[in-house]
Amino acid sequence: TRLLEGVDHAATRAHGKGDVKRAAEMVEVALAAFWEGGEEASEGKFYYGWGESAAESWSVVVSEETSPAWLYANLGYYLTEGGKHTRAAKLLQAVVVVFPDHTPAWINLGDAHAALGDAAAAREAYARYAESRRASGKKVPARITRALEKAP
């Protein structure tokens, strides 16, 4: 995972320079290469297939034992920031199914749903995020608290 961490740092730098598309592309390529290593489908794993860009000819096996959940959550963030809200929501929904305790995926999923105009789904994801933050003794960001207060 050291290579994936390096790619994530490079993607974070690209994002910081305003190149969200490049950040997402870096992470997609890294994940594709990661999975070309030969993870086989087995019980307890599921596939998440792409369908919208050049990196979409591959499928990813998401496994609780071996997947870099943090990198998927980051990819979802970059996709949302880059305006690929539907794609981000699909990816992040897959992430939270396998990694329900991965807190950052919940806020990213909420942001994707909010961008799609799905207030109920956004509220549900934000509520899971807030619950997880509180359970670990961490503060809930004000923007999430406000979103939960004004949501129906």
Side-chain angles (χ1 to χ4, degrees):
T1 63
R2 198 170 292 192
L3 173 64
L4 294 178
E5 290 171 3
V7 170
D8 187 52
H9 289 297
T12 300
R13 283 192 304 277
H15 177 262
K17 292 178 182 177
D19 195 350
V20 178
K21 182 178 179 185
R22 179 73 179 131
E25 287 172 353
M26 283 186 212
V27 174
E28 285 181 327
V29 169
L31 286 169
F34 178 79
W35 289 113
E36 280 180 13
E39 282 295 316
E40 297 295 325
S42 67
E43 197 169 346
K45 298 180 181 181
F46 71 94
Y47 291 89
Y48 175 80
W50 297 99
E52 291 178 13
S53 81
E56 291 150 346
S57 58
W58 52 272
S59 294
V60 180
V61 180
V62 180
S63 159
E64 290 185 39
E65 296 83 33
T66 60
S67 284
W70 53 271
L71 196 53
Y72 286 105
N74 288 356
L75 176 55
Y77 170 77
Y78 297 140
L79 290 171
T80 298
E81 288 287 303
K84 304 279 188 189
H85 310 300
T86 299
R87 201 164 155 210
K90 287 178 182 179
L91 171 65
L92 291 163
Q93 189 61 54
V95 172
V96 299
V97 166
V98 176
F99 304 102
D101 297 329
H102 189 70
T103 305
W106 287 105
I107 191 171
N108 295 344
L109 179 59
D111 290 344
H113 283 306
L116 289 168
D118 189 344
R123 186 187 193 302
E124 181 180 331
Y126 289 150
R128 290 288 302 265
Y129 171 78
E131 176 184 312
S132 179
R133 294 282 294 188
R134 287 185 193 108
S136 64
K138 295 179 181 172
K139 185 178 176 182
V140 177
R143 77 175 183 91
I144 301 304
T145 301
R146 284 191 304 273
L148 290 171
E149 288 171 354
K150 72 178 186 179

